[in-house]
Amino acid sequence: MKKRHIILPLLCLCTAVAAQDHKTHHHEEDSTDVFFRHLNLNEITVTGVTGDTKLKHATAPVSIVTPQILKATAATNIIDAISHQPGVSELTTGGSISKPIIRGLGYNRVVVMSEGVRQEGQQWGDEHGVEVDGSSVYSVEILKGPASLMYGSDAMAGVVILHAQPTLPEGEIHANVSTEYQTNNGLFNYNLSIAGNQKGFVWDAHYSDKMAHAYKNKYDGYVPGSQFRERAGRLMLGTNQSWGHSRLIWTAYHLTPSIVEGERDPETGELECNSDDVKTYSKALPFQQVKHYKLVWDNSLNLSSGYLKAIIGYQQNRRQEFEESADEYGIFLKLHTLTYDLRYVTNENNGWKFSTGIGGMYQKSVNEGEEYLIPDSRLFDFGIYATATKTLGEKWTLNGGVRYDHRRLHGYELIEDGDLRFTDFIRRFNGLTGSVGAVCNINEHFNLRLNLARGFRTPNISELASNGVHEGSLRYEIGNQNLKAEYSLQADLGLDFNSNYVSAQLALFANRIDNYIFTHRVLEVIDPDYLTYAYTQGDARLLGFEAGIDFHPIHSIHFSNTFSYVNAQQLHASDDTKYLPFTPAPHWTSELKWELFHHSHNTVNHHHTSDAAHRSPLNNLYFAVGLDCYMKQSNIYSADDTETETPGYALLSLSAGTDIQVKGKKIAELYITADNLLDKAYQNHLSRLKYTDINVVTGRQGVFNMGRNITFKLVIPIRM
């Protein structure tokens, strides 16, 4: 079978996708799986750019993480699962909390979209992860670079779009049961789901439960406080009709992570444990209790000239921190968020396509605890935008757009024990952003992509007004009410090459940010138990690239390599302050994959299936060996010991996967992955635990990342 090649915009598709897209599928597989396995991925419509756009016409860099990749990846959360994509990293705190970093930028510079609305929790915090159940995510789109045109403030670095499973075709009902076990932290996870479509009535129900005890590594042994428990549910009810669709989606997410303090015995250097059993699955002080609820009403109306889409969402995020007692919380942050989005997208007419929309949100944040880090606040914003796309023959696609945003943030006064803790203030911000780009399909082998985009981000409530101990970050934080809004201007240039045996990509980017906001350590001591950090800002520039090549000399062998690099500097700064803090280290990944037993069992080509294929108990079998190399990161913000260098390291992995079938019918999928096979002791440069106590015996500072970990994952599809 001739391989279907993929034109990858600006390194937009990881090489694992190229390794997957030629696979055939079973006759009993979901039609959505069929779509991802057989359709040339260039024909996929991506939603994150200027309106619905085919991937081959997207001028901005977009990555697609397919369902097959997600199922075959071992991870503790959804951000961990996508963090090996080129240009994507994660900032971690312990075993359960990860924040996405895109091309060196994270926190409120990355918007996460889930169920069609922006995920709003407490994303300003180091130890505040993304409150989304990874097992309910079907596929992922990753936009790299300013996406303020479509998403407004906070989308300066990019957008992570988490897609749920598409609705099933008429008359089908599917169910799935899956389970997972990880050897290092004893993680046990199971998921139950059922979905259907009967006469236009569609539904999808999902439940998951995940628990893990403390993880371990060669230097620290078991790390107390890294255990967690996660439970989540999702229910979708709706209707699909010729006029469009209307769906109501409800999700609930509960996470109870203990907090790694990193305190050590002054004589032995061992990590102190607040529990009698370091391998307990139960919570141990200190810990957080995070609850996130979401209700979304998603509507789409088909018109003769295009379609009209309206989404309204309500979210409530409840974050409690327990320090001294499991029954009494210290910090209790409650955040209410109402988001709305109304957009109109035209059909293509004479090569032209237009879209326009309005969207925004209202937020109310209140403190209900006895300890405070940020004040009560109210936020209101709205934005209006318009985009246009023009296709010129078979070679050129041009697009661009403009957007206006307004945001108002009100922080309220708080007097504590007669002292003024927070002052009352109001800040208003206005932003004008836009983008322009072009794609040139030079010939059947080469694609050239250009994009220029302006981004915009307002300071968040923590940056403006924080004044207190940030337990998860193990520091005292001080805000700055005089901070200005950030503006960025980023240029992207990409070249893709595809042939019968090689797929290669090169993506270059240059990003200039005015008024870049960051924290730095100050010598003032406010609480003797914590280091003090304050927010400041300056102009910055980020330069980098991503490169990848997938060499497949024969149908079943793939040798893929990717490399990501970003250099982030503050302009007009001294040598010890010129590098922006917490910039990802250069990252090289390499994988050699051998694929066997690809029997064609799809409904289109089932007549080609041999009797031997039906008798084989295995299908889509593969073996892979991978190497994850992180180079030394010496470009650090060293003033006041804000940041320290991180040595390089390499992690070896082995993986295998297969479909298990009986008489040609798939009854299960099995995946086995061994990460950090050589049990390397290492610290990721973006780990917050790198700056905890020094081991007086060994002289090593901080807590190290997870050691060798073997994951077993079983997925059982049920067709009704």
Side-chain angles (χ1 to χ4, degrees), residues 270-339:
E270 294 183 356
L271 290 168
E272 294 184 350
C273 182
N274 294 328
S275 173
D276 294 333
D277 180 10
V278 72
K279 294 177 63 176
T280 180
Y281 286 89
S282 301
K283 58 193 177 186
L285 292 170
F287 66 88
Q288 295 185 61
Q289 178 67 62
V290 182
K291 298 180 180 180
H292 193 94
Y293 305 98
K294 183 187 302 180
L295 184 65
V296 177
W297 188 24
D298 180 355
N299 303 274
S300 183
L301 178 63
N302 296 328
L303 305 174
S304 59
S305 58
Y307 67 88
L308 185 67
K309 190 171 183 66
I311 300 180
I312 299 175
Y314 169 75
Q315 300 173 67
Q316 184 185 113
N317 184 276
R318 303 162 60 92
R319 183 176 301 273
Q320 300 169 320
E321 292 186 0
F322 299 81
E323 302 166 26
E324 305 298 332
S325 169
D327 300 319
E328 297 182 6
Y329 48 79
I331 291 179
F332 185 0
L333 297 171
K334 183 184 290 186
L335 178 66
H336 304 268
T337 303
L338 179 67
T339 56

Side-chain angles (χ1 to χ4, degrees), residues 378-689:
R378 305 290 185 274
L379 180 149
F380 171 79
D381 80 357
F382 73 89
I384 185 169
Y385 69 90
T387 71
T389 301
K390 174 62 175 176
T391 302
L392 302 174
E394 297 295 327
K395 285 186 175 293
W396 286 93
T397 300
L398 310 176
N399 66 34
V402 64
R403 179 184 179 109
Y404 170 77
D405 281 281
H406 172 78
R407 175 169 287 188
R408 180 183 185 272
L409 180 60
H410 184 183
Y412 290 88
E413 179 183 88
L414 174 66
I415 297 177
E416 182 184 24
D417 299 328
D419 296 326
L420 182 64
R421 181 67 175 269
F422 302 110
T423 61
D424 189 272
F425 71 94
I426 296 177
R427 294 292 307 274
R428 294 179 175 87
F429 303 92
N430 299 285
L432 185 65
T433 56
S435 71
V436 59
V439 177
C440 179
N441 306 129
I442 300 173
N443 55 41
E444 63 176 335
H445 298 299
F446 286 96
N447 262 18
L448 181 66
R449 302 175 185 271
L450 302 165
N451 198 71
L452 184 66
R454 178 173 171 83
F456 165 72
R457 186 183 79 90
T458 68
N460 60 48
I461 187 64
S462 175
E463 294 166 336
L464 289 169
S466 60
N467 183 16
V469 173
H470 200 168
E471 287 286 348
S473 299
L474 306 174
R475 65 192 191 191
Y476 196 102
E477 289 188 357
I478 303 174
N480 181 352
Q481 292 185 14
N482 297 317
L483 295 175
K484 301 177 181 178
E486 296 180 345
Y487 284 92
S488 70
L489 185 63
Q490 178 165 316
D492 285 280
L493 172 64
L495 181 65
D496 314 323
F497 171 78
N498 293 274
S499 70
N500 289 332
Y501 303 104
V502 177
S503 297
Q505 309 83 35
L506 176 65
L508 308 174
F509 67 91
N511 191 5
R512 165 65 187 259
I513 303 178
D514 295 331
N515 309 320
Y516 180 85
I517 301 169
F518 61 97
T519 57
H520 69 113
R521 183 181 170 188
V522 295
L523 299 181
E524 178 185 6
V525 177
I526 299 178
D527 188 317
D529 295 329
Y530 298 91
L531 301 177
T532 304
Y533 284 75
Y535 285 96
T536 186
Q537 62 185 164
D539 296 337
R541 71 108 180 101
L542 293 87
L543 303 175
F545 70 92
E546 292 124 25
I549 184 169
D550 181 16
F551 178 57
H552 37 91
I554 60 176
H555 180 71
S556 61
I557 298 293
H558 284 264
F559 182 49
S560 60
N561 292 267
T562 66
F563 187 81
S564 305
Y565 173 80
V566 59
N567 182 289
Q569 294 192 23
Q570 182 180 189
L571 302 178
H572 317 297
S574 60
D575 288 343
D576 59 350
T577 63
K578 71 176 183 179
Y579 292 109
L580 298 184
F582 307 110
T583 299
H587 184 201
W588 168 50
T589 66
S590 182
E591 183 185 65
L592 180 62
K593 190 171 187 178
W594 181 29
E595 299 171 319
L596 305 90
F597 302 156
H598 296 299
H599 307 311
S600 179
H601 287 187
N602 61 76
T603 55
V604 177
N605 298 317
H606 67 273
H607 54 278
H608 296 301
T609 305
S610 66
D611 291 337
H614 279 294
R615 291 194 300 267
S616 175
L618 303 178
N619 193 18
N620 294 322
L621 174 66
Y622 72 87
F623 297 95
V625 55
L627 191 65
D628 229 0
C629 297
Y630 290 84
M631 313 302 178
K632 178 181 179 180
Q633 181 56 290
S634 56
N635 295 341
I636 61 171
Y637 190 101
S638 59
D640 301 319
D641 294 326
T642 295
E643 194 177 19
T644 59
E645 292 186 356
T646 302
Y649 57 91
L651 306 177
L652 180 67
S653 65
L654 294 177
S655 60
T658 185
D659 294 346
I660 302 172
Q661 57 185 20
V662 175
K663 295 182 179 180
K665 181 179 180 180
K666 183 173 71 173
I667 62 170
E669 301 173 35
L670 176 64
Y671 303 94
I672 303 174
T673 304
D675 289 314
N676 193 3
L677 190 63
L678 302 181
D679 201 24
K680 174 73 175 179
Y682 70 97
Q683 290 176 319
N684 187 286
H685 186 67
L686 299 184
S687 171
R688 301 301 307 176
L689 303 182

Side-chain angles (χ1 to χ4, degrees), residues 1-5 22 444 500 555:
M1 182 177 72
K2 184 177 179 180
K3 179 177 174 61
R4 293 177 170 86
H5 298 292
H22 73 280
E444 63 176 335
N500 289 332
H555 180 71

